[in-house]
Amino acid sequence: MVRSAAHRRELLKEVYEQARRCTACPLHATRTTVVFGSGNADAELMFVGEAPGANEDRMGLPFVGQAGKLLDRLLGEIGMRRGDVFIANVLKCRPPDNRDPQPREIEACRGYLDRQVELIEPVMICTLGNFSTKLLRADGTGISRLHGREEVRLIGSRAVRLYPLYHPAAALYTPSMLETLRADFQRIPQLLAQGAPEQPEPLEELPELDELPELDEPLEGERAEELDAPEGEPVALPSGGRPADQLGLF
Ligand code: SF4
């Protein structure tokens, strides 16, 4: 199905609104804001990191600290800026104390990333660091072996050029890693110029994310237990995050 850019943008905002009210894993209870991702809904290039940190959780935007500044600088060195790309994480809510994401959380959140990729339709996805590289490749090979090696992978229903990179946060304090990251970045324009890989047969309709309970809808069973709500009682579901038009770029 061919969608206009405006249509894709509107659909992306709908997914964002869904994520803002998401209670599908325990992280909803400890987050300050959902960090959906930000950037250009028509981007050819996406970056995918692991999960929001403390600054991101507070501000509702991905990569806002020192690592984000380095990412901006590296983008500038290849003639790009944040408004040209879309930046997201595998997990949309911060794990407490930056602990490792749990399998249940990863599984619950994966649909959001797949949907983002299906709507944005990037040519290329750069995974940032070990975690997102292993997850998107469904393989345990580490980033030190894979960085700078492009391959075609199916993410959701979209075939993309997957290009693993070191995480900018790791490169901040290791000069040799920064030089490697910089060298890998320099290849991005030429890889983008190759265009999108051949796509599988398009889906007529995107698969739906799990239905969310409506606000003030009585909860039952496991869902009520998860939210620590009395069964059958209305509950105000947590929300969080910025209004879609304040994500700045999409
Ligand atoms: Fe929902 Fe993902 Fe946040 Fe879990 S991490 S509550 S699945 S948005």
Side-chain angles (χ1 to χ4, degrees), residues 100-115:
D100 287 344
Q102 303 294 305
R104 176 186 172 193
E105 296 156 2
I106 296 166
E107 189 188 343
C109 211
R110 178 61 195 253
Y112 288 112
L113 180 64
D114 286 348
R115 185 73 75 94

Side-chain angles (χ1 to χ4, degrees), residues 18-38:
Q18 201 167 355
R20 286 177 72 194
R21 302 196 311 163
C22 180
T23 58
C25 89
L27 296 181
H28 78 269
T30 50
R31 71 182 176 220
T32 307
T33 57
V34 167
V35 184
F36 181 68
S38 72

Side-chain angles (χ1 to χ4, degrees), residues 113-212:
L113 180 64
D114 286 348
R115 185 73 75 94
Q116 287 174 315
V117 172
E118 285 158 0
L119 291 174
I120 295 166
E121 299 182 339
V123 167
M124 184 168 165
I125 294 180
C126 294
T127 49
L128 297 173
N130 244 328
F131 178 86
S132 60
T133 300
K134 288 179 179 175
L135 190 80
L136 266 60
R137 296 184 74 255
D139 179 285
T141 310
I143 188 67
S144 55
R145 283 187 54 198
L146 290 172
H147 74 85
R149 294 170 57 175
E150 71 277 14
E151 62 184 318
V152 173
R153 286 269 170 172
L154 200 61
I155 307 297
S157 62
R158 174 87 181 162
V160 299
R161 300 190 189 283
L162 195 76
Y163 188 57
L165 298 172
Y166 281 126
H167 197 290
L172 275 176
Y173 305 105
T174 314
S176 61
M177 197 178 282
L178 176 56
E179 284 319 300
T180 303
L181 179 58
R182 178 169 275 130
D184 289 343
F185 247 81
Q186 293 295 319
R187 291 192 58 230
I188 289 177
Q190 98 190 45
L191 292 170
L192 277 175
Q194 292 177 10
E198 191 177 336
Q199 296 299 311
E201 283 296 305
L203 296 175
E204 279 303 308
E205 293 291 337
L206 294 177
E208 291 299 319
L209 290 171
D210 283 350
E211 284 292 311
L212 291 172

Side-chain angles (χ1 to χ4, degrees), residues 23-103:
T23 58
C25 89
L27 296 181
H28 78 269
T30 50
R31 71 182 176 220
T32 307
T33 57
V34 167
V35 184
F36 181 68
S38 72
N40 189 336
D42 304 323
E44 292 192 334
L45 175 60
M46 272 184 82
F47 290 91
V48 178
E50 177 175 334
N55 290 329
E56 288 79 13
D57 177 60
R58 202 174 62 248
M59 296 181 66
L61 293 170
F63 285 84
V64 291
Q66 289 304 312
K69 287 197 178 118
L70 175 55
L71 188 60
D72 290 346
R73 204 162 77 227
L74 291 167
L75 276 171
E77 289 175 8
I78 58 169
M80 299 182 85
R81 55 191 182 86
R82 238 179 226 236
D84 297 323
V85 305
F86 195 94
I87 304 176
N89 286 303
V90 171
L91 284 191
K92 310 307 183 198
C93 303
R94 181 191 182 211
D97 303 319
N98 295 341
R99 65 154 170 75
D100 287 344
Q102 303 294 305

